[in-house]
Amino acid sequence: MMISKKMQDALNSQLNKELFSSYLYLAMAAYFEEENLTGMARWMKLQSDEEHVHAMKFYDFIIRVGARVKLEKLEKPQEKWESPQSAFEAALEHEKFITKSINELLDLAVVEKDHATSTFLHWFVDEQVEEEATAAEIVENFKLVGESKSGLFMLDRELGRRGSVPQA
Ligand SMILES: [Fe+2]
Ligand SMILES: [Fe+2]
């Protein structure tokens, strides 16, 4: 294979994290359904799909470099959040955790002079900038809405207009 055993393990670990992200956002979608916030539920379902696409990018890359895909157990995601805002705050915190993980992967690729993996990871570095910015913007929108019921209704409508996810 074109990559080290250590890199293979690290890439498989990131594959698991992307699948967990998909699982977590699906749990958030179900939470929003229960709260009758169908626009936010739709947004989170699309986010879950997007994370599955990320996971598949890792899957395809691992295969392409002749390494072995190893699927591990998925952690059980949280089911309830204190408020819609706190669910999006948790999503932002999760994206920060993923950014850190991608950066550590890239650090390893640089140390190993693994140019193939470094180049592959650059897409994810850019993607994480987008992911954090989007989540942060939504959290800011919640802060503007405050306790306003009509504001929450408008924000739900707005988030429900999100377009579908392009496939990898
Ligand atoms: Fe992701
Ligand atoms: Fe993400």
Side-chain angles (χ1 to χ4, degrees), residues 95-114:
E95 289 301 330
K96 287 180 180 171
F97 161 75
I98 294 294
T99 299
K100 191 167 169 284
S101 177
I102 295 286
N103 288 341
E104 285 167 2
L105 257 183
L106 185 52
D107 288 343
L108 177 63
V110 169
V111 166
E112 294 199 353
K113 297 187 167 66
D114 179 342

Side-chain angles (χ1 to χ4, degrees), residues 28-158:
M28 287 180 179
Y31 160 75
F32 285 125
E33 295 284 4
E34 266 183 53
E35 298 293 308
N36 294 311
L37 292 164
T38 53
M40 293 179 191
R42 180 179 135 75
W43 193 96
M44 277 297 173
K45 257 198 276 183
L46 289 170
Q47 190 63 22
S48 175
D49 290 348
E50 189 175 303
E51 297 299 350
H52 190 260
V53 171
H54 293 171
M56 292 312 291
K57 281 182 190 278
F58 280 95
Y59 174 95
D60 290 336
F61 181 76
I62 292 165
I63 304 279
R64 219 181 307 135
V65 293
R68 180 173 290 167
V69 167
K70 287 180 182 169
L71 298 177
E72 300 292 340
K73 205 185 273 183
L74 284 177
E75 195 187 316
K76 183 183 185 328
Q78 193 175 326
E79 287 175 12
K80 286 225 166 292
W81 286 267
E82 229 169 81
S83 64
Q85 179 173 336
S86 69
F88 274 97
E89 283 168 349
L92 174 58
E93 284 315 302
H94 182 69
E95 289 301 330
K96 287 180 180 171
F97 161 75
I98 294 294
T99 299
K100 191 167 169 284
S101 177
I102 295 286
N103 288 341
E104 285 167 2
L105 257 183
L106 185 52
D107 288 343
L108 177 63
V110 169
V111 166
E112 294 199 353
K113 297 187 167 66
D114 179 342
H115 298 293
T117 303
S118 291
T119 301
F120 166 71
L121 289 171
H122 281 131
W123 184 89
F124 283 92
V125 172
D126 291 340
E127 175 65 11
Q128 283 312 116
V129 173
E130 282 303 311
E131 294 272 73
E132 282 197 35
T134 305
E137 192 190 326
I138 296 170
V139 169
E140 287 311 307
N141 286 341
F142 270 103
K143 288 181 186 164
L144 287 173
V145 162
E147 297 297 302
S148 162
K149 287 275 174 210
S150 62
L152 183 66
F153 177 78
M154 297 288 279
L155 186 54
D156 185 59
R157 280 249 292 241
E158 169 72 23

